[in-house]
Every structure is written in C-alpha cells, then in structure tokens.
Amino acid sequence: MSPEAARAASESSGAGASDALGMQSAASSDPTVPAAASPHTATAPPGALPSLRFGYGTNGLADLRLDDALSLLADLGYDGVGLTLDHMHLDPLAPDLAARTRRVAQRLDELGLGITVETGARYVLDPRRKHGPSLLDPDPGDRARRTDLLVRAVRIAADLGAHAVHCFSGIVPEGADTDTSWKHLAESLAPVLDAAASEGIPLAVEPEPGHLLATLADFHHLRRVLGNPGLLGLTLDIGHCQCLETLSPADCVRAAAPWLRHVQIEDMRRGAHEHLPFGEGEIDFPPVLAALAATGYQGLTVVELPRHSHAGPHFAAHSLPFLRHAERAAATAPPALAQDFQQPAPPHGAPSTAPEGSSR
C-alpha cells in the first residue's frame, strides 16, 4: 500500500477507536476478514486442544551472548525464542548482517528452535532516546529510520524462517495531535507491509500501554485505516490485557483470535504496566492458556521479562515449568470449569493510565 493510499484512508476514517467489547464479534461481522484459517492456527481433533509452543524473549537475556541464550533455551526445553534485534543480539545495523543472520539461522535449526523477530530494543536507533525515533515522530526523516529498521526486520525474519515480525506504534509526540499521529503511523507502516507481503512474513502490531495504539480497539482502528491488509496481524501481550483492557485476558485472547500472529506473556497487575515474573501479579493463567489453545494458535507464546536480565537464566528456568503446569491444569479442568473458560468474564473496571515504557 502506498503512503498516498494510506493517507487517503486515514483522512477518510475517524481517529476514534470502537469499544473493545465489540471486537468479540468482529470476525463474524467484518466481511474483510478472510474465512480461511490463519497459517498460524491449527484445528484440534474433537475433544483435544493443541499443545502451546512456548518461547523466551532475548530482551530478558540481555547479559548473555546470543548463542549462549539460544543454547540455554534449548536445554531448558523451550520451543522457540523471541529475538529482539539489538546491538548485543543480531545487530540489524552492523556490518555483515547477511552472514551473521545465516549463522543464527543455522544455530536455530541445529537447536530446533522456532523464532519470532521482535523490534522493541530500547536504544538501537538512538543512544539518547528510548525507543526513538518512532513511527510517529514529527520529523519525516526520523520516521523513515524506524520504517527502515522494520523493513530490515522483515527481511531478517524471512532469512531466519520466523513466523512473524513484532512492532509497536510509539507514544504520541509532545505537541502532536492524535489525528496527525494516526496518519503518520499509517504512512510509516505502508513500506513495511509491502516488505511483509513480498517476503510472506506477517507484521504483528502490539497494543502497548501509553502508546497511540494501546488497545485491541486501537488495533482494529489501524486495520480499518490501512484497508485490512492481509499481512497485518496482532501481537497480544497477556499482561497488557490485565493492565488496561476492559475484557479479561482470556476474553482478549478470544476476541483477538482471527488476527493473532504473536503472543507475549508475563504476570501483571491491573493499572500498572510492570512486567512481573509468574505468580507475582494477578493473572489466572489456566483460563488464558485454555482460551489460547482453543483458538488453535500455533505461533510462539513468548515470556517477556525485559527488566529481569540480571537473573535471566533463573527466570527462564522457572517460567517454562509454570506455564506447562498451567497448561496441564487447563487441559484437566472439570467439565463445568472448562465450559466457564469459554464464557466471557465480567469486564474489569475502567482502564487506568499507565506510564509509557514503565517495564520495557
């Protein structure tokens, strides 16, 4: 999609986003949603749910060399890795990128690890601005630098055999209005979506607390602005659902299912954007994992603890047993409880405003 087309679509669409509760029926009511199943979902036999595939994010293993991190995750039994492109882990801006990418691809194959490429590195583009520049920056040259990084990420993902590329919008710049920011987001993502279509790699946009695109409803607004491109998908962060969505985390999974291309998971508390180790927040995980398995999602579900790299191997070792135990609890739940998993939970209270980037 060209920037001009994106601009026209943005100007013809209101900047407001629809209520998240309405997203539960979006798949059946929206004629632009393809009827065919996503390549990242699988149909389970009657009475059985597919096993989930768990990974761990390298942004939580920043003190390890990449090869050491990959070996650790394979040894612990993880199915894959969420690889954040950063100066310490497959630097996307350093020389010999193609050769370095080939070596990582070979290592992933040797270890039997799947991969999602993530693009949330704090200072990979600017050593002074966290997550800067963004897709929303007033300076078109700065926006182009972020777009270029994402295009590079798509090509790296294709070379690695990744199942998706993750990204997020960024916060609304000081002094900017939301209408202009939505326009900038659509224009900035157009070349990335062109690259995604060329490589056949889904782009999975993450609703991020404090960002322009913060909720599931905001994702659907972007989808409409861009004309529902086929390669535009969703990264669902389970903790963010607990933090600020009106739906419960399990209901968020069900509402997001048709567009789900990547999942991040950690514990979190209502109204506080702080990624917590499992058991330290408020999330009841068996219903979440039951809902996720019921969608047939077969991409990676990646543990995201970016503020815990100081003890990354410890948290990686403890996270996978927790998730497998929760998965077994969901699979062996009594029939009445299992039925409850499929019913919408009462919505949380009104969303709270969380500080941007408080846990990244």
Side-chain angles (χ1 to χ4, degrees), residues 119 121-147 149-150 168-171:
T119 61
R122 294 184 180 99
Y123 297 101
V124 69
L125 289 178
D126 189 324
R128 294 174 177 83
R129 286 193 295 163
K130 182 180 176 183
H131 297 316
S134 81
L135 298 170
L136 311 180
D137 270 30
D139 187 310
D142 280 346
R143 295 197 303 274
R145 290 174 61 202
R146 177 62 62 172
T147 294
L149 176 67
L150 296 181
F168 44 60
S169 69
I171 64 171

mmCIF file of all heavy atoms in Angstrom, residues 119 121-147 149-150 168-171:
data_model
loop_
_atom_site.group_PDB
_atom_site.id
_atom_site.type_symbol
_atom_site.label_atom_id
_atom_site.label_comp_id
_atom_site.label_asym_id
_atom_site.label_seq_id
_atom_site.Cartn_x
_atom_site.Cartn_y
_atom_site.Cartn_z
ATOM 1 N N THR A 119 11.110 -6.117 17.766
ATOM 2 C CA THR A 119 11.793 -4.868 17.400
ATOM 3 C C THR A 119 11.686 -3.812 18.498
ATOM 4 O O THR A 119 11.694 -2.614 18.218
ATOM 5 C CB THR A 119 11.222 -4.301 16.082
ATOM 6 O OG1 THR A 119 9.827 -4.020 16.261
ATOM 7 C CG2 THR A 119 11.413 -5.285 14.938
ATOM 8 N N ALA A 121 13.858 -3.019 20.892
ATOM 9 C CA ALA A 121 15.116 -2.623 21.528
ATOM 10 C C ALA A 121 15.043 -1.149 21.943
ATOM 11 O O ALA A 121 14.533 -0.306 21.206
ATOM 12 C CB ALA A 121 16.285 -2.843 20.575
ATOM 13 N N ARG A 122 15.589 -0.846 23.111
ATOM 14 C CA ARG A 122 15.417 0.491 23.670
ATOM 15 C C ARG A 122 16.210 1.566 22.917
ATOM 16 O O ARG A 122 15.719 2.659 22.670
ATOM 17 C CB ARG A 122 15.819 0.491 25.146
ATOM 18 C CG ARG A 122 14.921 -0.354 26.052
ATOM 19 C CD ARG A 122 15.349 -0.192 27.506
ATOM 20 N NE ARG A 122 14.532 -0.982 28.407
ATOM 21 C CZ ARG A 122 14.888 -2.164 28.901
ATOM 22 N NH1 ARG A 122 16.057 -2.688 28.564
ATOM 23 N NH2 ARG A 122 14.098 -2.824 29.721
ATOM 24 N N TYR A 123 17.463 1.271 22.584
ATOM 25 C CA TYR A 123 18.346 2.324 22.067
ATOM 26 C C TYR A 123 19.065 1.918 20.778
ATOM 27 O O TYR A 123 20.128 2.431 20.477
ATOM 28 C CB TYR A 123 19.378 2.704 23.138
ATOM 29 C CG TYR A 123 18.761 3.291 24.382
ATOM 30 C CD1 TYR A 123 18.590 2.526 25.525
ATOM 31 C CD2 TYR A 123 18.332 4.619 24.407
ATOM 32 C CE1 TYR A 123 18.004 3.065 26.665
ATOM 33 C CE2 TYR A 123 17.752 5.176 25.538
ATOM 34 C CZ TYR A 123 17.589 4.389 26.667
ATOM 35 O OH TYR A 123 17.007 4.923 27.797
ATOM 36 N N VAL A 124 18.464 1.038 20.009
ATOM 37 C CA VAL A 124 19.148 0.537 18.824
ATOM 38 C C VAL A 124 19.299 1.612 17.748
ATOM 39 O O VAL A 124 20.251 1.584 16.961
ATOM 40 C CB VAL A 124 18.411 -0.705 18.265
ATOM 41 C CG1 VAL A 124 17.064 -0.334 17.678
ATOM 42 C CG2 VAL A 124 19.266 -1.445 17.246
ATOM 43 N N LEU A 125 18.406 2.590 17.697
ATOM 44 C CA LEU A 125 18.479 3.651 16.694
ATOM 45 C C LEU A 125 19.034 4.959 17.245
ATOM 46 O O LEU A 125 19.632 5.737 16.496
ATOM 47 C CB LEU A 125 17.082 3.915 16.101
ATOM 48 C CG LEU A 125 16.509 2.844 15.180
ATOM 49 C CD1 LEU A 125 15.108 3.233 14.730
ATOM 50 C CD2 LEU A 125 17.409 2.614 13.976
ATOM 51 N N ASP A 126 18.818 5.225 18.504
ATOM 52 C CA ASP A 126 19.228 6.498 19.095
ATOM 53 C C ASP A 126 19.740 6.236 20.510
ATOM 54 O O ASP A 126 18.977 5.767 21.362
ATOM 55 C CB ASP A 126 18.044 7.465 19.127
ATOM 56 C CG ASP A 126 18.451 8.881 19.519
ATOM 57 O OD1 ASP A 126 19.344 9.046 20.361
ATOM 58 O OD2 ASP A 126 17.845 9.835 18.983
ATOM 59 N N PRO A 127 21.017 6.532 20.798
ATOM 60 C CA PRO A 127 21.574 6.236 22.115
ATOM 61 C C PRO A 127 21.054 7.145 23.218
ATOM 62 O O PRO A 127 21.361 6.928 24.391
ATOM 63 C CB PRO A 127 23.079 6.435 21.917
ATOM 64 C CG PRO A 127 23.189 7.404 20.802
ATOM 65 C CD PRO A 127 22.029 7.092 19.891
ATOM 66 N N ARG A 128 20.258 8.148 22.870
ATOM 67 C CA ARG A 128 19.771 9.104 23.868
ATOM 68 C C ARG A 128 18.256 9.070 24.070
ATOM 69 O O ARG A 128 17.759 9.631 25.045
ATOM 70 C CB ARG A 128 20.189 10.526 23.472
ATOM 71 C CG ARG A 128 21.691 10.745 23.523
ATOM 72 C CD ARG A 128 22.078 12.109 22.981
ATOM 73 N NE ARG A 128 23.520 12.331 23.111
ATOM 74 C CZ ARG A 128 24.427 11.894 22.257
ATOM 75 N NH1 ARG A 128 24.029 11.205 21.184
ATOM 76 N NH2 ARG A 128 25.715 12.134 22.445
ATOM 77 N N ARG A 129 17.532 8.436 23.141
ATOM 78 C CA ARG A 129 16.068 8.421 23.237
ATOM 79 C C ARG A 129 15.570 6.988 23.271
ATOM 80 O O ARG A 129 15.721 6.235 22.302
ATOM 81 C CB ARG A 129 15.436 9.137 22.038
ATOM 82 C CG ARG A 129 15.545 10.646 22.080
ATOM 83 C CD ARG A 129 14.617 11.251 21.031
ATOM 84 N NE ARG A 129 15.022 10.917 19.671
ATOM 85 C CZ ARG A 129 14.227 11.044 18.613
ATOM 86 N NH1 ARG A 129 12.970 11.452 18.770
ATOM 87 N NH2 ARG A 129 14.678 10.749 17.401
ATOM 88 N N LYS A 130 14.971 6.606 24.375
ATOM 89 C CA LYS A 130 14.417 5.264 24.497
ATOM 90 C C LYS A 130 13.327 5.047 23.440
ATOM 91 O O LYS A 130 12.382 5.831 23.324
ATOM 92 C CB LYS A 130 13.835 5.078 25.900
ATOM 93 C CG LYS A 130 13.263 3.707 26.176
ATOM 94 C CD LYS A 130 12.712 3.657 27.597
ATOM 95 C CE LYS A 130 12.056 2.321 27.874
ATOM 96 N NZ LYS A 130 11.452 2.284 29.223
ATOM 97 N N HIS A 131 13.468 3.972 22.672
ATOM 98 C CA HIS A 131 12.532 3.610 21.605
ATOM 99 C C HIS A 131 12.412 4.707 20.535
ATOM 100 O O HIS A 131 11.427 4.750 19.801
ATOM 101 C CB HIS A 131 11.146 3.280 22.156
ATOM 102 C CG HIS A 131 11.116 2.103 23.068
ATOM 103 N ND1 HIS A 131 11.782 0.935 22.804
ATOM 104 C CD2 HIS A 131 10.496 1.917 24.266
ATOM 105 C CE1 HIS A 131 11.578 0.073 23.790
ATOM 106 N NE2 HIS A 131 10.810 0.646 24.689
ATOM 107 N N GLY A 132 13.409 5.575 20.452
ATOM 108 C CA GLY A 132 13.362 6.624 19.456
ATOM 109 C C GLY A 132 14.335 6.357 18.307
ATOM 110 O O GLY A 132 15.318 5.645 18.483
ATOM 111 N N PRO A 133 14.060 6.957 17.152
ATOM 112 C CA PRO A 133 12.805 7.613 16.794
ATOM 113 C C PRO A 133 11.693 6.592 16.565
ATOM 114 O O PRO A 133 11.960 5.410 16.359
ATOM 115 C CB PRO A 133 13.146 8.341 15.497
ATOM 116 C CG PRO A 133 14.245 7.522 14.891
ATOM 117 C CD PRO A 133 15.044 6.984 16.046
ATOM 118 N N SER A 134 10.454 7.065 16.615
ATOM 119 C CA SER A 134 9.309 6.178 16.446
ATOM 120 C C SER A 134 8.640 6.412 15.098
ATOM 121 O O SER A 134 9.010 7.314 14.342
ATOM 122 C CB SER A 134 8.297 6.395 17.578
ATOM 123 O OG SER A 134 7.486 7.528 17.308
ATOM 124 N N LEU A 135 7.621 5.621 14.827
ATOM 125 C CA LEU A 135 6.836 5.773 13.601
ATOM 126 C C LEU A 135 5.991 7.040 13.611
ATOM 127 O O LEU A 135 5.388 7.383 12.585
ATOM 128 C CB LEU A 135 5.922 4.559 13.414
ATOM 129 C CG LEU A 135 6.626 3.207 13.247
ATOM 130 C CD1 LEU A 135 5.612 2.076 13.314
ATOM 131 C CD2 LEU A 135 7.409 3.152 11.951
ATOM 132 N N LEU A 136 5.937 7.731 14.750
ATOM 133 C CA LEU A 136 5.075 8.907 14.899
ATOM 134 C C LEU A 136 5.855 10.209 14.965
ATOM 135 O O LEU A 136 5.250 11.273 15.117
ATOM 136 C CB LEU A 136 4.232 8.772 16.182
ATOM 137 C CG LEU A 136 3.500 7.463 16.419
ATOM 138 C CD1 LEU A 136 2.730 7.517 17.726
ATOM 139 C CD2 LEU A 136 2.574 7.133 15.263
ATOM 140 N N ASP A 137 7.185 10.154 14.882
ATOM 141 C CA ASP A 137 7.989 11.362 15.056
ATOM 142 C C ASP A 137 7.583 12.463 14.067
ATOM 143 O O ASP A 137 7.263 12.167 12.907
ATOM 144 C CB ASP A 137 9.467 11.039 14.868
ATOM 145 C CG ASP A 137 10.131 10.651 16.170
ATOM 146 O OD1 ASP A 137 9.429 10.101 17.039
ATOM 147 O OD2 ASP A 137 11.337 10.891 16.323
ATOM 148 N N PRO A 138 7.604 13.725 14.499
ATOM 149 C CA PRO A 138 7.263 14.813 13.568
ATOM 150 C C PRO A 138 8.206 14.894 12.374
ATOM 151 O O PRO A 138 7.780 15.245 11.274
ATOM 152 C CB PRO A 138 7.382 16.069 14.450
ATOM 153 C CG PRO A 138 7.212 15.579 15.853
ATOM 154 C CD PRO A 138 7.822 14.203 15.875
ATOM 155 N N ASP A 139 9.472 14.573 12.583
ATOM 156 C CA ASP A 139 10.463 14.646 11.510
ATOM 157 C C ASP A 139 10.306 13.449 10.576
ATOM 158 O O ASP A 139 10.457 12.293 11.002
ATOM 159 C CB ASP A 139 11.864 14.657 12.112
ATOM 160 C CG ASP A 139 12.950 14.905 11.075
ATOM 161 O OD1 ASP A 139 12.952 14.221 10.034
ATOM 162 O OD2 ASP A 139 13.805 15.778 11.315
ATOM 163 N N PRO A 140 10.011 13.675 9.285
ATOM 164 C CA PRO A 140 9.828 12.541 8.363
ATOM 165 C C PRO A 140 11.083 11.694 8.205
ATOM 166 O O PRO A 140 10.994 10.480 7.981
ATOM 167 C CB PRO A 140 9.430 13.209 7.046
ATOM 168 C CG PRO A 140 9.852 14.633 7.169
ATOM 169 C CD PRO A 140 9.779 14.976 8.620
ATOM 170 N N GLY A 141 12.263 12.320 8.334
ATOM 171 C CA GLY A 141 13.492 11.544 8.260
ATOM 172 C C GLY A 141 13.630 10.585 9.423
ATOM 173 O O GLY A 141 14.098 9.448 9.260
ATOM 174 N N ASP A 142 13.226 11.026 10.611
ATOM 175 C CA ASP A 142 13.265 10.150 11.773
ATOM 176 C C ASP A 142 12.268 9.008 11.639
ATOM 177 O O ASP A 142 12.571 7.850 11.970
ATOM 178 C CB ASP A 142 12.985 10.952 13.048
ATOM 179 C CG ASP A 142 14.202 11.713 13.537
ATOM 180 O OD1 ASP A 142 15.318 11.421 13.051
ATOM 181 O OD2 ASP A 142 14.052 12.592 14.408
ATOM 182 N N ARG A 143 11.068 9.317 11.163
ATOM 183 C CA ARG A 143 10.097 8.240 10.939
ATOM 184 C C ARG A 143 10.638 7.226 9.936
ATOM 185 O O ARG A 143 10.451 6.018 10.094
ATOM 186 C CB ARG A 143 8.764 8.812 10.432
ATOM 187 C CG ARG A 143 8.043 9.685 11.426
ATOM 188 C CD ARG A 143 6.578 9.877 11.060
ATOM 189 N NE ARG A 143 6.364 10.442 9.739
ATOM 190 C CZ ARG A 143 6.347 11.742 9.458
ATOM 191 N NH1 ARG A 143 6.576 12.626 10.427
ATOM 192 N NH2 ARG A 143 6.110 12.178 8.224
ATOM 193 N N ALA A 144 11.318 7.718 8.914
ATOM 194 C CA ALA A 144 11.870 6.826 7.889
ATOM 195 C C ALA A 144 12.924 5.894 8.470
ATOM 196 O O ALA A 144 13.058 4.745 8.016
ATOM 197 C CB ALA A 144 12.457 7.649 6.745
ATOM 198 N N ARG A 145 13.681 6.354 9.463
ATOM 199 C CA ARG A 145 14.684 5.490 10.091
ATOM 200 C C ARG A 145 14.013 4.307 10.808
ATOM 201 O O ARG A 145 14.499 3.180 10.732
ATOM 202 C CB ARG A 145 15.527 6.289 11.083
ATOM 203 C CG ARG A 145 16.466 7.298 10.438
ATOM 204 C CD ARG A 145 17.143 8.142 11.490
ATOM 205 N NE ARG A 145 17.943 7.315 12.404
ATOM 206 C CZ ARG A 145 18.282 7.703 13.631
ATOM 207 N NH1 ARG A 145 17.875 8.872 14.105
ATOM 208 N NH2 ARG A 145 19.024 6.900 14.375
ATOM 209 N N ARG A 146 12.901 4.568 11.491
ATOM 210 C CA ARG A 146 12.177 3.465 12.151
ATOM 211 C C ARG A 146 11.565 2.544 11.105
ATOM 212 O O ARG A 146 11.598 1.316 11.255
ATOM 213 C CB ARG A 146 11.117 4.042 13.072
ATOM 214 C CG ARG A 146 10.237 2.994 13.766
ATOM 215 C CD ARG A 146 11.004 2.063 14.668
ATOM 216 N NE ARG A 146 11.674 2.743 15.770
ATOM 217 C CZ ARG A 146 12.283 2.118 16.767
ATOM 218 N NH1 ARG A 146 12.308 0.782 16.804
ATOM 219 N NH2 ARG A 146 12.898 2.808 17.714
ATOM 220 N N THR A 147 10.999 3.105 10.047
ATOM 221 C CA THR A 147 10.448 2.271 8.976
ATOM 222 C C THR A 147 11.524 1.380 8.380
ATOM 223 O O THR A 147 11.310 0.186 8.143
ATOM 224 C CB THR A 147 9.820 3.160 7.889
ATOM 225 O OG1 THR A 147 8.686 3.849 8.431
ATOM 226 C CG2 THR A 147 9.366 2.325 6.697
ATOM 227 N N LEU A 149 14.211 0.272 9.815
ATOM 228 C CA LEU A 149 14.525 -0.803 10.762
ATOM 229 C C LEU A 149 13.512 -1.935 10.653
ATOM 230 O O LEU A 149 13.879 -3.122 10.660
ATOM 231 C CB LEU A 149 14.551 -0.248 12.188
ATOM 232 C CG LEU A 149 14.772 -1.294 13.282
ATOM 233 C CD1 LEU A 149 16.177 -1.888 13.196
ATOM 234 C CD2 LEU A 149 14.537 -0.696 14.668
ATOM 235 N N LEU A 150 12.242 -1.583 10.532
ATOM 236 C CA LEU A 150 11.202 -2.608 10.447
ATOM 237 C C LEU A 150 11.282 -3.382 9.133
ATOM 238 O O LEU A 150 11.046 -4.595 9.098
ATOM 239 C CB LEU A 150 9.825 -1.983 10.630
ATOM 240 C CG LEU A 150 9.558 -1.349 11.996
ATOM 241 C CD1 LEU A 150 8.138 -0.778 12.049
ATOM 242 C CD2 LEU A 150 9.779 -2.347 13.121
ATOM 243 N N PHE A 168 5.553 -1.971 17.491
ATOM 244 C CA PHE A 168 4.519 -1.180 18.147
ATOM 245 C C PHE A 168 4.551 0.237 17.606
ATOM 246 O O PHE A 168 5.458 0.630 16.871
ATOM 247 C CB PHE A 168 4.637 -1.199 19.679
ATOM 248 C CG PHE A 168 6.031 -1.023 20.229
ATOM 249 C CD1 PHE A 168 6.768 0.111 19.974
ATOM 250 C CD2 PHE A 168 6.588 -2.008 21.044
ATOM 251 C CE1 PHE A 168 8.039 0.271 20.506
ATOM 252 C CE2 PHE A 168 7.858 -1.854 21.583
ATOM 253 C CZ PHE A 168 8.584 -0.714 21.320
ATOM 254 N N SER A 169 3.559 1.054 17.981
ATOM 255 C CA SER A 169 3.369 2.359 17.338
ATOM 256 C C SER A 169 4.315 3.419 17.860
ATOM 257 O O SER A 169 4.803 4.259 17.094
ATOM 258 C CB SER A 169 1.922 2.829 17.532
ATOM 259 O OG SER A 169 1.659 3.146 18.888
ATOM 260 N N GLY A 170 4.549 3.469 19.163
ATOM 261 C CA GLY A 170 5.219 4.590 19.804
ATOM 262 C C GLY A 170 4.203 5.518 20.449
ATOM 263 O O GLY A 170 2.990 5.432 20.199
ATOM 264 N N ILE A 171 4.701 6.423 21.318
ATOM 265 C CA ILE A 171 3.820 7.354 22.001
ATOM 266 C C ILE A 171 3.577 8.580 21.120
ATOM 267 O O ILE A 171 4.374 8.892 20.228
ATOM 268 C CB ILE A 171 4.407 7.790 23.362
ATOM 269 C CG1 ILE A 171 5.718 8.558 23.176
ATOM 270 C CG2 ILE A 171 4.631 6.579 24.260
ATOM 271 C CD1 ILE A 171 6.237 9.193 24.445
#
